[in-house]
Amino acid sequence: MERYQRQLILKGFGLEAQERLAQAKVLVIGAGGLGCPALQYLVAAGVGCVGIADHDVVELSNLQRQVLYTSADVGTLKVENAAKRLQQMNPEVKLLLYPVAVDKENILETISSYDVIFDGTDNFESRYLINDACTMLNKPLVFAAVSGFEGQLAVFNVEDELGIKTNYRDLFPVPPDAGEIPNCAENGILGVIPGIIGTMAAGEIIKLITGIGNPLINKLLHYNLLTQEQYEMNITPSNEYEPPISSAGFMNSDPENLTHSFTEIDAAQMNELRKNPSTIIIDVRERHEFPKLDSGIYQQVPISVFETFASAEIDAKNIVLICQHGIRSVAAAELLHQKYGETKKIYSLKGGISKWRSHFNHTT
Amino acid sequence: MQIELISFGKLSDFIPNQNLEIEGIENTDDLKQYLEKIFPELAAMKYKLALNKNLVQQNSKIKNRDSIALMPPFSGG
C-alpha cells in the first residue's frame, strides 16, 4: 500500500476508495493521444483491471502526443507497447489487450465485463458504435474528444440524483457527414490538448469508481487551451434516439446511420481492382504526407484540390480513393458518387494506407 | 435585443464570439435560421445550440442578454 500512500491520505479517499479502484475493470478504447495519459493515470492509481483496445501500430507522427510510445516502437502494435510500459509502471494491475478494431460484431462482448468504458477513439464511426453499445448495455461511458486546441469531455449512461441519464445521441443524434468535421490528421493537434483532456477523463473515471466529487453527469465540458476557458453545458434527453434493446436489434441497427453510396474495400480488393485496366487509384493525401507512394500506380490528387479535379471527366470505370486513415477518401468518394451516381464504381480503402501499409508500393 | 454568441471548434473559424444585435427574432428556431443565413457555412454542419448553458432540445424563447453557444461534435483522439 506504500505505492498508493499519497492518495490514501487524501481527505474523502482512503482505503475504501482504493479498494474500489482495485476491484474495478475499466476498458480504454483507443490507445492514442487521449488513451495514453488516461491509461497512465488509471494504471498508476491502481485500477484493478484495465483493458486496452486498439488495432493500430505506432507511427512516427503519433509520438508528439502519444506519450507512452518511443521512436523504437514505430511500426509495432500500440497495445503491446502500452502494456509493456504500463506493466513496468505498476505490475499490480491486470492488463487485457484487444489488438482489434471495435465493430458491430465484437463490441457488445468486449465491453460486457467492464464497469466503465472510456472512448478515446479518433473517428465518428467508432464513437457512435461505442455510445450505442454502452447505452444498450447501460455501461457508464466516459467520452473525450479533441479538435485543434479544444477538447470535449462528458459522462454518459450514469443517472443523476433525479434518475436522469443521457448519452451522445442526446447531444448529436446523427453523425456528421463524412469529411464534414476534420480529424487530427487533417486539422492538426497540439500534443498537450489530448494530454489534458485524457488526464481529465482519467479523473472522471476515478471519481465514478470511488464515488468522490461530482462527475460530469448530463454535462458536456468544453475546454479551450488557447484561452484557458471552460464552458459547461447541461444535456437533457432528446428522445430522438431509441437504443436497441437486444443484441439482435443491435446487430440489425445502423449505428452510423450513414447510407454509403459507394463501397468500402480492403487492400486485397484494391489490388484485385488494380489489375483491371479501367481502374484508377487516387491518393487524396496532401503532398507532404508519408509514406510517398509510386505515382505511376497511385495518382495523387490532394483533397484540397479534389473538387477542381473532379469537375473534369474521369475516364476510368472503377475509381478507388485512398488516404492515410480512410476518412478523407470517404469524402472524396461521396463527392464522386454525387457526380457519377451508379454509372461508375466508386471505392474507398477502409482504414487507409496506415492500416494496409505493407500492401503498397512505396517510394519512401 | 442583444444576445451573447459563443462558438466552438470549426464554427469559431467563421463565427467569432460577439454580442449580436437581433431584431424580430424571438426563439431559438428563428435564431438558427437567421445565423444560417448570415453564416452560410453553418447550414451544412452539425451543431447544437445551448441557451444559457442548457442544451436546446426544442424551440425555446430568447430574452435580451441571453447567452447562446454553438457546439459542433469533435471526433479527434
mmCIF file with all atom_site columns, all heavy atoms in Angstrom, chain A residues 273 276-282 313-321 336-337 340-347:
data_model
loop_
_atom_site.group_PDB
_atom_site.id
_atom_site.type_symbol
_atom_site.label_atom_id
_atom_site.label_alt_id
_atom_site.label_comp_id
_atom_site.label_asym_id
_atom_site.label_entity_id
_atom_site.label_seq_id
_atom_site.pdbx_PDB_ins_code
_atom_site.Cartn_x
_atom_site.Cartn_y
_atom_site.Cartn_z
_atom_site.occupancy
_atom_site.B_iso_or_equiv
_atom_site.pdbx_formal_charge
_atom_site.auth_seq_id
_atom_site.auth_comp_id
_atom_site.auth_asym_id
_atom_site.auth_atom_id
_atom_site.pdbx_PDB_model_num
ATOM 1   N N   . LEU A 1 273 ? -8.670  -5.004 -57.937 1.00 0.00 ? 273 LEU A N   1
ATOM 2   C CA  . LEU A 1 273 ? -9.218  -3.992 -58.855 1.00 0.00 ? 273 LEU A CA  1
ATOM 3   C C   . LEU A 1 273 ? -8.127  -3.366 -59.722 1.00 0.00 ? 273 LEU A C   1
ATOM 4   O O   . LEU A 1 273 ? -8.362  -2.983 -60.865 1.00 0.00 ? 273 LEU A O   1
ATOM 5   C CB  . LEU A 1 273 ? -9.911  -2.877 -58.056 1.00 0.00 ? 273 LEU A CB  1
ATOM 6   C CG  . LEU A 1 273 ? -11.340 -3.148 -57.591 1.00 0.00 ? 273 LEU A CG  1
ATOM 7   C CD1 . LEU A 1 273 ? -11.736 -2.143 -56.507 1.00 0.00 ? 273 LEU A CD1 1
ATOM 8   C CD2 . LEU A 1 273 ? -12.317 -3.053 -58.771 1.00 0.00 ? 273 LEU A CD2 1
ATOM 9   N N   . ASN A 1 276 ? -7.484  -4.501 -63.230 1.00 0.00 ? 276 ASN A N   1
ATOM 10  C CA  . ASN A 1 276 ? -8.422  -4.095 -64.273 1.00 0.00 ? 276 ASN A CA  1
ATOM 11  C C   . ASN A 1 276 ? -7.922  -2.802 -64.923 1.00 0.00 ? 276 ASN A C   1
ATOM 12  O O   . ASN A 1 276 ? -7.691  -1.800 -64.256 1.00 0.00 ? 276 ASN A O   1
ATOM 13  C CB  . ASN A 1 276 ? -9.804  -3.871 -63.615 1.00 0.00 ? 276 ASN A CB  1
ATOM 14  C CG  . ASN A 1 276 ? -10.881 -3.568 -64.625 1.00 0.00 ? 276 ASN A CG  1
ATOM 15  O OD1 . ASN A 1 276 ? -10.630 -2.971 -65.667 1.00 0.00 ? 276 ASN A OD1 1
ATOM 16  N ND2 . ASN A 1 276 ? -12.091 -3.986 -64.314 1.00 0.00 ? 276 ASN A ND2 1
ATOM 17  N N   . PRO A 1 277 ? -7.727  -2.808 -66.274 1.00 0.00 ? 277 PRO A N   1
ATOM 18  C CA  . PRO A 1 277 ? -7.170  -1.605 -66.922 1.00 0.00 ? 277 PRO A CA  1
ATOM 19  C C   . PRO A 1 277 ? -8.067  -0.377 -66.797 1.00 0.00 ? 277 PRO A C   1
ATOM 20  O O   . PRO A 1 277 ? -7.595  0.753  -66.954 1.00 0.00 ? 277 PRO A O   1
ATOM 21  C CB  . PRO A 1 277 ? -7.022  -2.024 -68.390 1.00 0.00 ? 277 PRO A CB  1
ATOM 22  C CG  . PRO A 1 277 ? -7.805  -3.278 -68.554 1.00 0.00 ? 277 PRO A CG  1
ATOM 23  C CD  . PRO A 1 277 ? -7.957  -3.914 -67.208 1.00 0.00 ? 277 PRO A CD  1
ATOM 24  N N   . SER A 1 278 ? -9.335  -0.595 -66.491 1.00 0.00 ? 278 SER A N   1
ATOM 25  C CA  . SER A 1 278 ? -10.215 0.566  -66.360 1.00 0.00 ? 278 SER A CA  1
ATOM 26  C C   . SER A 1 278 ? -10.369 1.009  -64.902 1.00 0.00 ? 278 SER A C   1
ATOM 27  O O   . SER A 1 278 ? -11.395 1.550  -64.509 1.00 0.00 ? 278 SER A O   1
ATOM 28  C CB  . SER A 1 278 ? -11.584 0.268  -66.970 1.00 0.00 ? 278 SER A CB  1
ATOM 29  O OG  . SER A 1 278 ? -12.288 1.480  -67.112 1.00 0.00 ? 278 SER A OG  1
ATOM 30  N N   . THR A 1 279 ? -9.306  0.770  -64.117 1.00 0.00 ? 279 THR A N   1
ATOM 31  C CA  . THR A 1 279 ? -9.322  1.206  -62.711 1.00 0.00 ? 279 THR A CA  1
ATOM 32  C C   . THR A 1 279 ? -8.301  2.317  -62.514 1.00 0.00 ? 279 THR A C   1
ATOM 33  O O   . THR A 1 279 ? -7.182  2.244  -63.021 1.00 0.00 ? 279 THR A O   1
ATOM 34  C CB  . THR A 1 279 ? -8.967  0.034  -61.775 1.00 0.00 ? 279 THR A CB  1
ATOM 35  O OG1 . THR A 1 279 ? -9.982  -0.954 -61.886 1.00 0.00 ? 279 THR A OG1 1
ATOM 36  C CG2 . THR A 1 279 ? -8.880  0.496  -60.325 1.00 0.00 ? 279 THR A CG2 1
ATOM 37  N N   . ILE A 1 280 ? -8.706  3.344  -61.797 1.00 0.00 ? 280 ILE A N   1
ATOM 38  C CA  . ILE A 1 280 ? -7.758  4.390  -61.415 1.00 0.00 ? 280 ILE A CA  1
ATOM 39  C C   . ILE A 1 280 ? -7.740  4.437  -59.886 1.00 0.00 ? 280 ILE A C   1
ATOM 40  O O   . ILE A 1 280 ? -8.786  4.356  -59.237 1.00 0.00 ? 280 ILE A O   1
ATOM 41  C CB  . ILE A 1 280 ? -8.142  5.754  -62.036 1.00 0.00 ? 280 ILE A CB  1
ATOM 42  C CG1 . ILE A 1 280 ? -7.174  6.851  -61.592 1.00 0.00 ? 280 ILE A CG1 1
ATOM 43  C CG2 . ILE A 1 280 ? -9.553  6.164  -61.696 1.00 0.00 ? 280 ILE A CG2 1
ATOM 44  C CD1 . ILE A 1 280 ? -7.422  8.182  -62.287 1.00 0.00 ? 280 ILE A CD1 1
ATOM 45  N N   . ILE A 1 281 ? -6.522  4.503  -59.305 1.00 0.00 ? 281 ILE A N   1
ATOM 46  C CA  . ILE A 1 281 ? -6.404  4.626  -57.848 1.00 0.00 ? 281 ILE A CA  1
ATOM 47  C C   . ILE A 1 281 ? -5.907  6.032  -57.540 1.00 0.00 ? 281 ILE A C   1
ATOM 48  O O   . ILE A 1 281 ? -4.871  6.465  -58.059 1.00 0.00 ? 281 ILE A O   1
ATOM 49  C CB  . ILE A 1 281 ? -5.447  3.574  -57.256 1.00 0.00 ? 281 ILE A CB  1
ATOM 50  C CG1 . ILE A 1 281 ? -5.905  2.162  -57.668 1.00 0.00 ? 281 ILE A CG1 1
ATOM 51  C CG2 . ILE A 1 281 ? -5.395  3.688  -55.727 1.00 0.00 ? 281 ILE A CG2 1
ATOM 52  C CD1 . ILE A 1 281 ? -5.045  1.034  -57.135 1.00 0.00 ? 281 ILE A CD1 1
ATOM 53  N N   . ILE A 1 282 ? -6.661  6.753  -56.734 1.00 0.00 ? 282 ILE A N   1
ATOM 54  C CA  . ILE A 1 282 ? -6.324  8.154  -56.442 1.00 0.00 ? 282 ILE A CA  1
ATOM 55  C C   . ILE A 1 282 ? -5.991  8.318  -54.957 1.00 0.00 ? 282 ILE A C   1
ATOM 56  O O   . ILE A 1 282 ? -6.786  7.978  -54.083 1.00 0.00 ? 282 ILE A O   1
ATOM 57  C CB  . ILE A 1 282 ? -7.488  9.095  -56.828 1.00 0.00 ? 282 ILE A CB  1
ATOM 58  C CG1 . ILE A 1 282 ? -7.867  8.886  -58.311 1.00 0.00 ? 282 ILE A CG1 1
ATOM 59  C CG2 . ILE A 1 282 ? -7.108  10.549 -56.569 1.00 0.00 ? 282 ILE A CG2 1
ATOM 60  C CD1 . ILE A 1 282 ? -9.105  9.653  -58.742 1.00 0.00 ? 282 ILE A CD1 1
ATOM 61  N N   . GLU A 1 313 ? -13.859 15.296 -66.510 1.00 0.00 ? 313 GLU A N   1
ATOM 62  C CA  . GLU A 1 313 ? -14.330 13.914 -66.645 1.00 0.00 ? 313 GLU A CA  1
ATOM 63  C C   . GLU A 1 313 ? -13.227 12.918 -66.285 1.00 0.00 ? 313 GLU A C   1
ATOM 64  O O   . GLU A 1 313 ? -12.057 13.115 -66.608 1.00 0.00 ? 313 GLU A O   1
ATOM 65  C CB  . GLU A 1 313 ? -14.765 13.647 -68.094 1.00 0.00 ? 313 GLU A CB  1
ATOM 66  C CG  . GLU A 1 313 ? -16.199 14.043 -68.401 1.00 0.00 ? 313 GLU A CG  1
ATOM 67  C CD  . GLU A 1 313 ? -17.227 13.460 -67.443 1.00 0.00 ? 313 GLU A CD  1
ATOM 68  O OE1 . GLU A 1 313 ? -17.300 12.224 -67.307 1.00 0.00 ? 313 GLU A OE1 1
ATOM 69  O OE2 . GLU A 1 313 ? -17.973 14.239 -66.801 1.00 0.00 ? 313 GLU A OE2 1
ATOM 70  N N   . ILE A 1 314 ? -13.593 11.844 -65.629 1.00 0.00 ? 314 ILE A N   1
ATOM 71  C CA  . ILE A 1 314 ? -12.651 10.759 -65.357 1.00 0.00 ? 314 ILE A CA  1
ATOM 72  C C   . ILE A 1 314 ? -13.050 9.607  -66.283 1.00 0.00 ? 314 ILE A C   1
ATOM 73  O O   . ILE A 1 314 ? -14.228 9.234  -66.346 1.00 0.00 ? 314 ILE A O   1
ATOM 74  C CB  . ILE A 1 314 ? -12.728 10.320 -63.881 1.00 0.00 ? 314 ILE A CB  1
ATOM 75  C CG1 . ILE A 1 314 ? -12.388 11.507 -62.967 1.00 0.00 ? 314 ILE A CG1 1
ATOM 76  C CG2 . ILE A 1 314 ? -11.790 9.138  -63.613 1.00 0.00 ? 314 ILE A CG2 1
ATOM 77  C CD1 . ILE A 1 314 ? -12.621 11.258 -61.492 1.00 0.00 ? 314 ILE A CD1 1
ATOM 78  N N   . ASP A 1 315 ? -12.071 9.071  -67.030 1.00 0.00 ? 315 ASP A N   1
ATOM 79  C CA  . ASP A 1 315 ? -12.393 8.012  -67.990 1.00 0.00 ? 315 ASP A CA  1
ATOM 80  C C   . ASP A 1 315 ? -12.608 6.652  -67.338 1.00 0.00 ? 315 ASP A C   1
ATOM 81  O O   . ASP A 1 315 ? -13.455 5.881  -67.768 1.00 0.00 ? 315 ASP A O   1
ATOM 82  C CB  . ASP A 1 315 ? -11.267 7.895  -69.037 1.00 0.00 ? 315 ASP A CB  1
ATOM 83  C CG  . ASP A 1 315 ? -11.227 9.141  -69.919 1.00 0.00 ? 315 ASP A CG  1
ATOM 84  O OD1 . ASP A 1 315 ? -12.312 9.753  -70.111 1.00 0.00 ? 315 ASP A OD1 1
ATOM 85  O OD2 . ASP A 1 315 ? -10.137 9.508  -70.393 1.00 0.00 ? 315 ASP A OD2 1
ATOM 86  N N   . ALA A 1 316 ? -11.802 6.360  -66.304 1.00 0.00 ? 316 ALA A N   1
ATOM 87  C CA  . ALA A 1 316 ? -11.848 5.021  -65.704 1.00 0.00 ? 316 ALA A CA  1
ATOM 88  C C   . ALA A 1 316 ? -13.253 4.678  -65.210 1.00 0.00 ? 316 ALA A C   1
ATOM 89  O O   . ALA A 1 316 ? -14.007 5.550  -64.789 1.00 0.00 ? 316 ALA A O   1
ATOM 90  C CB  . ALA A 1 316 ? -10.852 4.954  -64.552 1.00 0.00 ? 316 ALA A CB  1
ATOM 91  N N   . LYS A 1 317 ? -13.571 3.373  -65.280 1.00 0.00 ? 317 LYS A N   1
ATOM 92  C CA  . LYS A 1 317 ? -14.885 2.924  -64.801 1.00 0.00 ? 317 LYS A CA  1
ATOM 93  C C   . LYS A 1 317 ? -14.879 2.668  -63.300 1.00 0.00 ? 317 LYS A C   1
ATOM 94  O O   . LYS A 1 317 ? -15.881 2.806  -62.624 1.00 0.00 ? 317 LYS A O   1
ATOM 95  C CB  . LYS A 1 317 ? -15.280 1.635  -65.528 1.00 0.00 ? 317 LYS A CB  1
ATOM 96  C CG  . LYS A 1 317 ? -15.716 1.886  -66.970 1.00 0.00 ? 317 LYS A CG  1
ATOM 97  C CD  . LYS A 1 317 ? -16.592 0.724  -67.450 1.00 0.00 ? 317 LYS A CD  1
ATOM 98  C CE  . LYS A 1 317 ? -17.087 0.955  -68.856 1.00 0.00 ? 317 LYS A CE  1
ATOM 99  N NZ  . LYS A 1 317 ? -15.961 1.030  -69.840 1.00 0.00 ? 317 LYS A NZ  1
ATOM 100 N N   . ASN A 1 318 ? -13.714 2.202  -62.808 1.00 0.00 ? 318 ASN A N   1
ATOM 101 C CA  . ASN A 1 318 ? -13.579 1.937  -61.379 1.00 0.00 ? 318 ASN A CA  1
ATOM 102 C C   . ASN A 1 318 ? -12.662 2.990  -60.765 1.00 0.00 ? 318 ASN A C   1
ATOM 103 O O   . ASN A 1 318 ? -11.543 3.173  -61.228 1.00 0.00 ? 318 ASN A O   1
ATOM 104 C CB  . ASN A 1 318 ? -12.962 0.554  -61.127 1.00 0.00 ? 318 ASN A CB  1
ATOM 105 C CG  . ASN A 1 318 ? -13.766 -0.541 -61.802 1.00 0.00 ? 318 ASN A CG  1
ATOM 106 O OD1 . ASN A 1 318 ? -14.973 -0.619 -61.634 1.00 0.00 ? 318 ASN A OD1 1
ATOM 107 N ND2 . ASN A 1 318 ? -13.094 -1.365 -62.594 1.00 0.00 ? 318 ASN A ND2 1
ATOM 108 N N   . ILE A 1 319 ? -13.137 3.654  -59.730 1.00 0.00 ? 319 ILE A N   1
ATOM 109 C CA  . ILE A 1 319 ? -12.317 4.687  -59.093 1.00 0.00 ? 319 ILE A CA  1
ATOM 110 C C   . ILE A 1 319 ? -12.112 4.304  -57.629 1.00 0.00 ? 319 ILE A C   1
ATOM 111 O O   . ILE A 1 319 ? -13.089 4.163  -56.871 1.00 0.00 ? 319 ILE A O   1
ATOM 112 C CB  . ILE A 1 319 ? -12.988 6.073  -59.181 1.00 0.00 ? 319 ILE A CB  1
ATOM 113 C CG1 . ILE A 1 319 ? -13.369 6.389  -60.644 1.00 0.00 ? 319 ILE A CG1 1
ATOM 114 C CG2 . ILE A 1 319 ? -12.065 7.154  -58.620 1.00 0.00 ? 319 ILE A CG2 1
ATOM 115 C CD1 . ILE A 1 319 ? -14.275 7.600  -60.784 1.00 0.00 ? 319 ILE A CD1 1
ATOM 116 N N   . VAL A 1 320 ? -10.845 4.105  -57.258 1.00 0.00 ? 320 VAL A N   1
ATOM 117 C CA  . VAL A 1 320 ? -10.530 3.754  -55.872 1.00 0.00 ? 320 VAL A CA  1
ATOM 118 C C   . VAL A 1 320 ? -9.881  4.962  -55.209 1.00 0.00 ? 320 VAL A C   1
ATOM 119 O O   . VAL A 1 320 ? -8.879  5.478  -55.708 1.00 0.00 ? 320 VAL A O   1
ATOM 120 C CB  . VAL A 1 320 ? -9.569  2.540  -55.799 1.00 0.00 ? 320 VAL A CB  1
ATOM 121 C CG1 . VAL A 1 320 ? -9.284  2.172  -54.344 1.00 0.00 ? 320 VAL A CG1 1
ATOM 122 C CG2 . VAL A 1 320 ? -10.139 1.346  -56.557 1.00 0.00 ? 320 VAL A CG2 1
ATOM 123 N N   . LEU A 1 321 ? -10.460 5.421  -54.098 1.00 0.00 ? 321 LEU A N   1
ATOM 124 C CA  . LEU A 1 321 ? -9.905  6.552  -53.367 1.00 0.00 ? 321 LEU A CA  1
ATOM 125 C C   . LEU A 1 321 ? -9.165  6.050  -52.138 1.00 0.00 ? 321 LEU A C   1
ATOM 126 O O   . LEU A 1 321 ? -9.685  5.182  -51.416 1.00 0.00 ? 321 LEU A O   1
ATOM 127 C CB  . LEU A 1 321 ? -11.008 7.506  -52.910 1.00 0.00 ? 321 LEU A CB  1
ATOM 128 C CG  . LEU A 1 321 ? -11.735 8.403  -53.922 1.00 0.00 ? 321 LEU A CG  1
ATOM 129 C CD1 . LEU A 1 321 ? -10.763 9.017  -54.909 1.00 0.00 ? 321 LEU A CD1 1
ATOM 130 C CD2 . LEU A 1 321 ? -12.840 7.679  -54.626 1.00 0.00 ? 321 LEU A CD2 1
ATOM 131 N N   . LEU A 1 336 ? -17.564 12.074 -55.666 1.00 0.00 ? 336 LEU A N   1
ATOM 132 C CA  . LEU A 1 336 ? -17.622 11.439 -56.983 1.00 0.00 ? 336 LEU A CA  1
ATOM 133 C C   . LEU A 1 336 ? -18.950 10.723 -57.195 1.00 0.00 ? 336 LEU A C   1
ATOM 134 O O   . LEU A 1 336 ? -19.478 10.692 -58.303 1.00 0.00 ? 336 LEU A O   1
ATOM 135 C CB  . LEU A 1 336 ? -16.455 10.456 -57.155 1.00 0.00 ? 336 LEU A CB  1
ATOM 136 C CG  . LEU A 1 336 ? -15.077 11.101 -57.318 1.00 0.00 ? 336 LEU A CG  1
ATOM 137 C CD1 . LEU A 1 336 ? -14.025 10.033 -57.531 1.00 0.00 ? 336 LEU A CD1 1
ATOM 138 C CD2 . LEU A 1 336 ? -15.064 12.089 -58.483 1.00 0.00 ? 336 LEU A CD2 1
ATOM 139 N N   . HIS A 1 337 ? -19.476 10.152 -56.115 1.00 0.00 ? 337 HIS A N   1
ATOM 140 C CA  . HIS A 1 337 ? -20.757 9.469  -56.270 1.00 0.00 ? 337 HIS A CA  1
ATOM 141 C C   . HIS A 1 337 ? -21.872 10.447 -56.631 1.00 0.00 ? 337 HIS A C   1
ATOM 142 O O   . HIS A 1 337 ? -22.747 10.149 -57.441 1.00 0.00 ? 337 HIS A O   1
ATOM 143 C CB  . HIS A 1 337 ? -21.130 8.689  -55.011 1.00 0.00 ? 337 HIS A CB  1
ATOM 144 C CG  . HIS A 1 337 ? -22.390 7.902  -55.189 1.00 0.00 ? 337 HIS A CG  1
ATOM 145 N ND1 . HIS A 1 337 ? -23.619 8.397  -54.843 1.00 0.00 ? 337 HIS A ND1 1
ATOM 146 C CD2 . HIS A 1 337 ? -22.618 6.677  -55.740 1.00 0.00 ? 337 HIS A CD2 1
ATOM 147 C CE1 . HIS A 1 337 ? -24.549 7.495  -55.155 1.00 0.00 ? 337 HIS A CE1 1
ATOM 148 N NE2 . HIS A 1 337 ? -23.974 6.456  -55.690 1.00 0.00 ? 337 HIS A NE2 1
ATOM 149 N N   . TYR A 1 340 ? -21.280 10.956 -60.412 1.00 0.00 ? 340 TYR A N   1
ATOM 150 C CA  . TYR A 1 340 ? -21.442 9.846  -61.347 1.00 0.00 ? 340 TYR A CA  1
ATOM 151 C C   . TYR A 1 340 ? -22.584 8.899  -61.002 1.00 0.00 ? 340 TYR A C   1
ATOM 152 O O   . TYR A 1 340 ? -22.948 8.063  -61.819 1.00 0.00 ? 340 TYR A O   1
ATOM 153 C CB  . TYR A 1 340 ? -20.132 9.055  -61.451 1.00 0.00 ? 340 TYR A CB  1
ATOM 154 C CG  . TYR A 1 340 ? -19.024 9.831  -62.116 1.00 0.00 ? 340 TYR A CG  1
ATOM 155 C CD1 . TYR A 1 340 ? -17.922 10.266 -61.393 1.00 0.00 ? 340 TYR A CD1 1
ATOM 156 C CD2 . TYR A 1 340 ? -19.098 10.141 -63.468 1.00 0.00 ? 340 TYR A CD2 1
ATOM 157 C CE1 . TYR A 1 340 ? -16.909 10.989 -61.999 1.00 0.00 ? 340 TYR A CE1 1
ATOM 158 C CE2 . TYR A 1 340 ? -18.091 10.871 -64.081 1.00 0.00 ? 340 TYR A CE2 1
ATOM 159 C CZ  . TYR A 1 340 ? -16.993 11.287 -63.351 1.00 0.00 ? 340 TYR A CZ  1
ATOM 160 O OH  . TYR A 1 340 ? -16.010 12.002 -63.949 1.00 0.00 ? 340 TYR A OH  1
ATOM 161 N N   . GLY A 1 341 ? -23.114 9.005  -59.784 1.00 0.00 ? 341 GLY A N   1
ATOM 162 C CA  . GLY A 1 341 ? -24.187 8.081  -59.398 1.00 0.00 ? 341 GLY A CA  1
ATOM 163 C C   . GLY A 1 341 ? -23.752 6.648  -59.581 1.00 0.00 ? 341 GLY A C   1
ATOM 164 O O   . GLY A 1 341 ? -22.652 6.270  -59.170 1.00 0.00 ? 341 GLY A O   1
ATOM 165 N N   . GLU A 1 342 ? -24.595 5.845  -60.233 1.00 0.00 ? 342 GLU A N   1
ATOM 166 C CA  . GLU A 1 342 ? -24.279 4.422  -60.396 1.00 0.00 ? 342 GLU A CA  1
ATOM 167 C C   . GLU A 1 342 ? -23.554 4.151  -61.723 1.00 0.00 ? 342 GLU A C   1
ATOM 168 O O   . GLU A 1 342 ? -23.316 3.004  -62.064 1.00 0.00 ? 342 GLU A O   1
ATOM 169 C CB  . GLU A 1 342 ? -25.567 3.582  -60.329 1.00 0.00 ? 342 GLU A CB  1
ATOM 170 C CG  . GLU A 1 342 ? -26.402 3.808  -59.070 1.00 0.00 ? 342 GLU A CG  1
ATOM 171 C CD  . GLU A 1 342 ? -25.624 3.600  -57.784 1.00 0.00 ? 342 GLU A CD  1
ATOM 172 O OE1 . GLU A 1 342 ? -24.817 2.641  -57.706 1.00 0.00 ? 342 GLU A OE1 1
ATOM 173 O OE2 . GLU A 1 342 ? -25.794 4.418  -56.852 1.00 0.00 ? 342 GLU A OE2 1
ATOM 174 N N   . THR A 1 343 ? -23.196 5.208  -62.462 1.00 0.00 ? 343 THR A N   1
ATOM 175 C CA  . THR A 1 343 ? -22.564 4.979  -63.768 1.00 0.00 ? 343 THR A CA  1
ATOM 176 C C   . THR A 1 343 ? -21.102 4.567  -63.645 1.00 0.00 ? 343 THR A C   1
ATOM 177 O O   . THR A 1 343 ? -20.513 4.060  -64.581 1.00 0.00 ? 343 THR A O   1
ATOM 178 C CB  . THR A 1 343 ? -22.663 6.232  -64.675 1.00 0.00 ? 343 THR A CB  1
ATOM 179 O OG1 . THR A 1 343 ? -21.953 7.293  -64.033 1.00 0.00 ? 343 THR A OG1 1
ATOM 180 C CG2 . THR A 1 343 ? -24.108 6.647  -64.880 1.00 0.00 ? 343 THR A CG2 1
ATOM 181 N N   . LYS A 1 344 ? -20.493 4.824  -62.476 1.00 0.00 ? 344 LYS A N   1
ATOM 182 C CA  . LYS A 1 344 ? -19.126 4.346  -62.231 1.00 0.00 ? 344 LYS A CA  1
ATOM 183 C C   . LYS A 1 344 ? -19.105 3.645  -60.887 1.00 0.00 ? 344 LYS A C   1
ATOM 184 O O   . LYS A 1 344 ? -19.920 3.926  -60.020 1.00 0.00 ? 344 LYS A O   1
ATOM 185 C CB  . LYS A 1 344 ? -18.138 5.521  -62.190 1.00 0.00 ? 344 LYS A CB  1
ATOM 186 C CG  . LYS A 1 344 ? -17.834 6.111  -63.562 1.00 0.00 ? 344 LYS A CG  1
ATOM 187 C CD  . LYS A 1 344 ? -16.753 7.148  -63.447 1.00 0.00 ? 344 LYS A CD  1
ATOM 188 C CE  . LYS A 1 344 ? -16.610 7.952  -64.739 1.00 0.00 ? 344 LYS A CE  1
ATOM 189 N NZ  . LYS A 1 344 ? -16.171 7.169  -65.895 1.00 0.00 ? 344 LYS A NZ  1
ATOM 190 N N   . LYS A 1 345 ? -18.145 2.721  -60.750 1.00 0.00 ? 345 LYS A N   1
ATOM 191 C CA  . LYS A 1 345 ? -17.988 2.062  -59.462 1.00 0.00 ? 345 LYS A CA  1
ATOM 192 C C   . LYS A 1 345 ? -16.961 2.841  -58.643 1.00 0.00 ? 345 LYS A C   1
ATOM 193 O O   . LYS A 1 345 ? -15.836 3.055  -59.096 1.00 0.00 ? 345 LYS A O   1
ATOM 194 C CB  . LYS A 1 345 ? -17.520 0.617  -59.656 1.00 0.00 ? 345 LYS A CB  1
ATOM 195 C CG  . LYS A 1 345 ? -18.599 -0.279 -60.262 1.00 0.00 ? 345 LYS A CG  1
ATOM 196 C CD  . LYS A 1 345 ? -18.740 -1.507 -59.377 1.00 0.00 ? 345 LYS A CD  1
ATOM 197 C CE  . LYS A 1 345 ? -19.622 -2.600 -59.945 1.00 0.00 ? 345 LYS A CE  1
ATOM 198 N NZ  . LYS A 1 345 ? -20.960 -2.244 -60.292 1.00 0.00 ? 345 LYS A NZ  1
ATOM 199 N N   . ILE A 1 346 ? -17.380 3.265  -57.455 1.00 0.00 ? 346 ILE A N   1
ATOM 200 C CA  . ILE A 1 346 ? -16.507 4.103  -56.631 1.00 0.00 ? 346 ILE A CA  1
ATOM 201 C C   . ILE A 1 346 ? -16.197 3.383  -55.322 1.00 0.00 ? 346 ILE A C   1
ATOM 202 O O   . ILE A 1 346 ? -17.100 2.833  -54.667 1.00 0.00 ? 346 ILE A O   1
ATOM 203 C CB  . ILE A 1 346 ? -17.169 5.482  -56.399 1.00 0.00 ? 346 ILE A CB  1
ATOM 204 C CG1 . ILE A 1 346 ? -17.281 6.194  -57.753 1.00 0.00 ? 346 ILE A CG1 1
ATOM 205 C CG2 . ILE A 1 346 ? -16.359 6.320  -55.421 1.00 0.00 ? 346 ILE A CG2 1
ATOM 206 C CD1 . ILE A 1 346 ? -18.341 7.238  -57.805 1.00 0.00 ? 346 ILE A CD1 1
ATOM 207 N N   . TYR A 1 347 ? -14.912 3.358  -54.975 1.00 0.00 ? 347 TYR A N   1
ATOM 208 C CA  . TYR A 1 347 ? -14.462 2.614  -53.799 1.00 0.00 ? 347 TYR A CA  1
ATOM 209 C C   . TYR A 1 347 ? -13.614 3.512  -52.901 1.00 0.00 ? 347 TYR A C   1
ATOM 210 O O   . TYR A 1 347 ? -12.932 4.427  -53.360 1.00 0.00 ? 347 TYR A O   1
ATOM 211 C CB  . TYR A 1 347 ? -13.603 1.406  -54.207 1.00 0.00 ? 347 TYR A CB  1
ATOM 212 C CG  . TYR A 1 347 ? -14.278 0.459  -55.160 1.00 0.00 ? 347 TYR A CG  1
ATOM 213 C CD1 . TYR A 1 347 ? -14.130 0.621  -56.543 1.00 0.00 ? 347 TYR A CD1 1
ATOM 214 C CD2 . TYR A 1 347 ? -15.055 -0.604 -54.688 1.00 0.00 ? 347 TYR A CD2 1
ATOM 215 C CE1 . TYR A 1 347 ? -14.745 -0.246 -57.432 1.00 0.00 ? 347 TYR A CE1 1
ATOM 216 C CE2 . TYR A 1 347 ? -15.668 -1.482 -55.568 1.00 0.00 ? 347 TYR A CE2 1
ATOM 217 C CZ  . TYR A 1 347 ? -15.512 -1.302 -56.940 1.00 0.00 ? 347 TYR A CZ  1
ATOM 218 O OH  . TYR A 1 347 ? -16.119 -2.162 -57.813 1.00 0.00 ? 347 TYR A OH  1
#
